[in-house]
Coordinates of all heavy atoms in Angstrom, one line a residue:
E320 N 11.2 15.4 5.6 CA 11.6 14.4 4.6 C 10.7 13.2 4.7 O 10.4 12.7 5.8 CB 13.1 14.0 4.9 CG 13.7 13.0 4.0 CD 15.1 12.6 4.3 OE1 15.8 13.3 5.1 OE2 15.5 11.5 3.8
V321 N 10.4 12.7 3.6 CA 9.6 11.4 3.5 C 10.4 10.5 2.5 O 10.6 10.9 1.4 CB 8.2 11.6 3.0 CG1 7.4 10.3 2.8 CG2 7.4 12.6 3.9
D322 N 10.8 9.3 3.0 CA 11.5 8.3 2.2 C 10.7 7.0 2.4 O 11.0 6.3 3.3 CB 12.9 8.2 2.6 CG 13.7 7.2 1.8 OD1 13.2 6.7 0.8 OD2 14.8 6.8 2.2
R323 N 9.7 6.8 1.5 CA 8.8 5.6 1.6 C 8.1 5.6 2.9 O 7.2 6.5 3.2 CB 9.6 4.3 1.3 CG 10.1 4.2 -0.1 CD 10.8 2.9 -0.4 NE 11.8 2.6 0.5 CZ 13.1 2.7 0.3 NH1 13.5 3.2 -0.9 NH2 14.0 2.4 1.2
R324 N 8.5 4.8 3.9 CA 7.9 4.7 5.2 C 8.6 5.5 6.3 O 8.2 5.5 7.4 CB 7.7 3.3 5.6 CG 6.6 2.5 4.7 CD 6.4 1.1 5.2 NE 5.4 0.5 4.4 CZ 4.2 0.3 4.8 NH1 3.8 0.6 5.9 NH2 3.3 -0.4 4.0
R325 N 9.8 6.0 5.9 CA 10.6 6.8 6.9 C 10.2 8.3 6.8 O 10.2 8.9 5.8 CB 12.1 6.6 6.5 CG 13.0 7.3 7.5 CD 14.5 7.0 7.0 NE 15.3 8.0 7.4 CZ 15.7 9.0 6.6 NH1 15.3 9.1 5.3 NH2 16.5 10.0 7.0
L326 N 9.9 8.8 8.0 CA 9.5 10.2 8.1 C 10.5 10.9 9.0 O 10.9 10.4 10.1 CB 8.1 10.3 8.8 CG 7.0 9.5 8.2 CD1 5.8 9.5 9.1 CD2 6.7 9.9 6.8
V327 N 11.0 12.1 8.6 CA 12.0 12.9 9.3 C 11.3 14.2 9.7 O 10.8 14.9 8.8 CB 13.3 13.1 8.6 CG1 14.3 13.9 9.4 CG2 13.9 11.7 8.2
F328 N 11.4 14.5 11.0 CA 10.8 15.8 11.5 C 11.9 16.7 12.1 O 12.9 16.2 12.6 CB 9.8 15.5 12.6 CG 8.7 14.6 12.2 CD1 8.8 13.2 12.2 CD2 7.4 15.2 11.8 CE1 7.7 12.4 11.9 CE2 6.4 14.4 11.5 CZ 6.5 13.0 11.5
E329 N 11.7 18.0 12.0 CA 12.4 18.9 12.8 C 11.4 19.6 13.8 O 10.3 19.8 13.4 CB 13.1 20.0 11.9 CG 14.2 19.4 11.1 CD 14.9 20.4 10.2 OE1 14.4 21.6 10.1 OE2 16.0 20.1 9.7
F330 N 11.9 19.9 15.0 CA 11.0 20.4 16.0 C 11.7 21.5 16.8 O 12.9 21.5 17.0 CB 10.3 19.4 16.8 CG 11.3 18.7 17.7 CD1 11.6 19.1 19.0 CD2 12.0 17.6 17.3 CE1 12.5 18.5 19.8 CE2 13.0 17.0 18.1 CZ 13.2 17.4 19.4
T331 N 10.9 22.4 17.4 CA 11.4 23.3 18.4 C 10.4 23.2 19.6 O 9.2 22.9 19.4 CB 11.4 24.7 18.0 OG1 10.2 25.1 17.5 CG2 12.5 24.9 16.9
V332 N 10.9 23.4 20.8 CA 10.1 23.4 22.0 C 10.4 24.8 22.7 O 11.5 25.2 22.9 CB 10.4 22.3 23.0 CG1 9.5 22.3 24.2 CG2 10.3 20.9 22.2
C333 N 9.3 25.5 23.1 CA 9.4 26.8 23.6 C 8.6 26.9 24.9 O 7.6 26.2 25.1 CB 9.0 27.9 22.7 SG 9.9 28.0 21.1
D334 N 9.0 27.8 25.8 CA 8.1 28.3 26.9 C 7.9 29.8 26.7 O 8.2 30.3 25.7 CB 8.7 27.9 28.3 CG 10.0 28.5 28.6 OD1 10.4 29.6 28.0 OD2 10.7 28.1 29.6
V335 N 7.4 30.4 27.7 CA 7.0 31.8 27.6 C 8.2 32.7 27.4 O 8.1 33.8 26.9 CB 6.2 32.3 28.8 CG1 4.9 31.7 28.9 CG2 7.0 32.1 30.1
K336 N 9.4 32.2 27.8 CA 10.6 33.0 27.6 C 11.4 32.8 26.3 O 12.4 33.4 26.0 CB 11.6 32.8 28.8 CG 11.0 33.4 30.1 CD 12.1 33.2 31.2 CE 11.5 33.8 32.5 NZ 12.5 33.7 33.6
G337 N 10.9 31.8 25.5 CA 11.6 31.5 24.3 C 11.9 30.0 24.1 O 11.4 29.1 24.9
E338 N 12.8 29.7 23.2 CA 13.2 28.3 22.9 C 13.9 27.7 24.1 O 14.8 28.2 24.7 CB 14.1 28.3 21.7 CG 14.4 26.9 21.2 CD 15.2 26.9 19.9 OE1 14.7 27.4 18.9 OE2 16.4 26.4 20.0
I339 N 13.5 26.4 24.3 CA 14.1 25.6 25.4 C 14.7 24.3 24.8 O 15.5 23.7 25.5 CB 13.2 25.3 26.5 CG1 12.0 24.3 26.1 CG2 12.6 26.5 27.2 CD1 11.3 23.7 27.2
G340 N 14.4 24.0 23.6 CA 15.0 22.8 22.9 C 14.6 22.7 21.5 O 13.7 23.4 21.0
R341 N 15.4 21.9 20.8 CA 15.2 21.7 19.4 C 15.8 20.4 18.9 O 16.6 19.8 19.7 CB 15.7 22.8 18.5 CG 17.2 23.0 18.4 CD 17.6 24.0 17.4 NE 16.8 25.2 17.4 CZ 16.0 25.6 16.3 NH1 16.0 24.8 15.2 NH2 15.3 26.6 16.3
G342 N 15.4 19.9 17.8 CA 16.1 18.7 17.3 C 15.4 18.1 16.1 O 14.6 18.8 15.4
R343 N 15.8 16.8 15.8 CA 15.3 16.0 14.7 C 14.8 14.7 15.2 O 15.3 14.2 16.2 CB 16.3 15.8 13.6 CG 16.7 17.1 12.8 CD 17.8 16.8 11.8 NE 17.5 15.9 10.8 CZ 17.0 16.2 9.6 NH1 16.7 17.5 9.3 NH2 16.8 15.3 8.7
H344 N 13.8 14.2 14.5 CA 13.2 12.9 15.0 C 12.8 12.1 13.8 O 12.2 12.7 12.8 CB 12.0 13.3 15.9 CG 11.2 12.1 16.3 ND1 11.7 11.0 16.8 CD2 9.8 11.9 16.3 CE1 10.8 10.1 17.2 NE2 9.6 10.6 16.8
E345 N 13.0 10.8 13.8 CA 12.6 9.9 12.7 C 11.6 8.9 13.2 O 11.7 8.4 14.4 CB 13.8 9.1 12.2 CG 14.8 10.0 11.4 CD 15.9 9.2 10.8 OE1 15.7 7.9 10.6 OE2 17.0 9.8 10.5
R346 N 10.6 8.7 12.4 CA 9.6 7.7 12.7 C 9.4 6.8 11.4 O 9.7 7.3 10.3 CB 8.2 8.4 13.0 CG 8.3 9.3 14.2 CD 7.0 9.9 14.6 NE 6.1 8.9 15.2 CZ 6.3 8.4 16.5 NH1 7.2 8.9 17.3 NH2 5.4 7.5 17.0
F347 N 8.9 5.6 11.6 CA 8.6 4.7 10.5 C 7.1 4.4 10.5 O 6.5 4.2 11.6 CB 9.4 3.4 10.6 CG 10.7 3.5 9.8 CD1 11.8 4.1 10.5 CD2 10.8 3.1 8.5 CE1 13.0 4.2 9.8 CE2 12.0 3.2 7.8 CZ 13.1 3.7 8.5
I348 N 6.5 4.4 9.4 CA 5.1 4.0 9.2 C 5.0 2.5 9.4 O 5.8 1.8 8.7 CB 4.5 4.5 7.9 CG1 4.6 6.0 7.8 CG2 3.1 4.0 7.7 CD1 4.3 6.6 6.4
I349 N 4.0 2.1 10.2 CA 3.9 0.6 10.4 C 2.4 0.2 10.1 O 1.5 1.0 10.3 CB 4.3 0.2 11.8 CG1 3.4 0.9 12.8 CG2 5.7 0.4 12.0 CD1 3.4 0.2 14.2
D350 N 2.2 -1.0 9.7 CA 0.9 -1.7 9.8 C 0.8 -2.2 11.2 O 1.6 -3.1 11.5 CB 0.8 -2.8 8.7 CG -0.5 -3.6 8.8 OD1 -0.9 -3.9 9.9 OD2 -1.0 -3.9 7.7
T351 N 0.0 -1.7 12.0 CA 0.0 -2.0 13.5 C -0.2 -3.4 13.7 O 0.5 -4.0 14.6 CB -1.1 -1.1 14.2 OG1 -0.8 0.3 13.9 CG2 -1.0 -1.3 15.7
G352 N -1.2 -4.1 13.1 CA -1.4 -5.5 13.3 C -0.2 -6.4 12.9 O 0.2 -7.2 13.7
K353 N 0.4 -6.1 11.8 CA 1.6 -6.9 11.4 C 2.7 -6.6 12.4 O 3.5 -7.5 12.7 CB 2.0 -6.5 10.0 CG 1.1 -7.1 8.9 CD 1.6 -6.7 7.5 CE 0.7 -7.2 6.4 NZ 1.1 -6.8 5.1

Side-chain angles (χ1 to χ4, degrees):
E320 183 182 342
V321 178
D322 180 12
R323 294 182 307 258
R324 292 183 178 256
R325 182 175 150 265
L326 308 173
V327 180
F328 299 85
E329 291 182 349
F330 68 91
T331 58
V332 182
C333 299
D334 65 16
V335 294
K336 291 185 178 179
E338 186 177 296
I339 65 165
R341 70 173 38 247
R343 288 175 66 91
H344 175 47
E345 290 185 22
R346 301 187 72 80
F347 270 84
I348 298 170
I349 60 162
D350 177 317
T351 306
K353 288 180 181 178

